[in-house]
Amino acid sequence: MSGRTVQLIIAIVFFIHAVGHIMCLMPALGINVSDTWNSRSWLLSDLIGQPADNVLVIIIWLAAITGFLLAALALMGWIVPHEWWRPLAIVSAVISLIGIVLFWNAFAAAFNKAGAITVDLAVLIGLLVLHRPAEIDLA
């Protein structure tokens, strides 16, 4: 598989992952379909209250969404400098994992959580442990 193909596939995954995080904003914006889907933090809600919870969940998810969108653009060399894609992807994956841990019910279903965790861990392991994909650095 060519480096450009790998680059495009990863950029698409980043884009889809970013878009998927939009569902996490919905409960904080008052768009709920069930009582179990909410923006309440199991750790922070009792300490800071629901209004502050909503603000924090919006900040976390907007940061993850923006970061993954910018990582996709940087990876393709569009608008954002190409060399920024790795740091953007790593920081976005960490923010996403923190959001998932703190706001477990912000995702509508278990498979959404599992998918998000899988992508975040794949980004972190791939970039920090395996130092892959190396061929994208040539883009």
Side-chain angles (χ1 to χ4, degrees):
M1 192 176 318
S2 75
R4 188 68 175 168
T5 302
V6 172
Q7 187 177 16
L8 182 60
I9 290 169
I10 294 172
I12 290 169
V13 169
F14 287 170
F15 178 78
I16 292 169
H17 193 49
V19 170
H21 280 75
I22 292 172
M23 84 169 62
C24 300
L25 293 173
M26 294 170 68
L29 300 173
I31 305 167
N32 282 12
V33 293
S34 76
D35 292 335
T36 59
W37 184 20
N38 59 61
S39 61
R40 184 171 163 72
S41 171
W42 64 272
L43 179 64
L44 301 174
S45 289
D46 291 337
L47 298 172
I48 63 176
Q50 190 61 40
D53 242 7
N54 284 345
V55 171
L56 185 59
V57 80
I58 289 169
I59 290 169
I60 287 174
W61 295 124
L62 281 179
I65 292 165
T66 304
F68 276 115
L69 289 176
L70 291 175
L73 291 171
L75 184 56
M76 297 307 296
W78 301 336
I79 304 168
V80 182
H82 177 73
E83 54 276 356
W84 291 10
W85 84 268
R86 286 178 187 267
L88 283 166
I90 291 166
V91 169
S92 301
V94 169
I95 291 170
S96 176
L97 286 171
I98 290 169
I100 293 167
V101 169
L102 289 177
F103 298 96
W104 185 251
N105 291 325
F107 281 95
F111 70 89
N112 300 118
K113 293 173 210 169
I117 291 167
T118 301
V119 172
D120 291 334
L121 290 177
V123 167
L124 295 175
I125 292 168
L127 295 178
L128 294 175
V129 177
L130 302 176
H131 305 290
R132 291 283 183 217
E135 65 271 12
I136 290 179
D137 293 329
L138 304 174

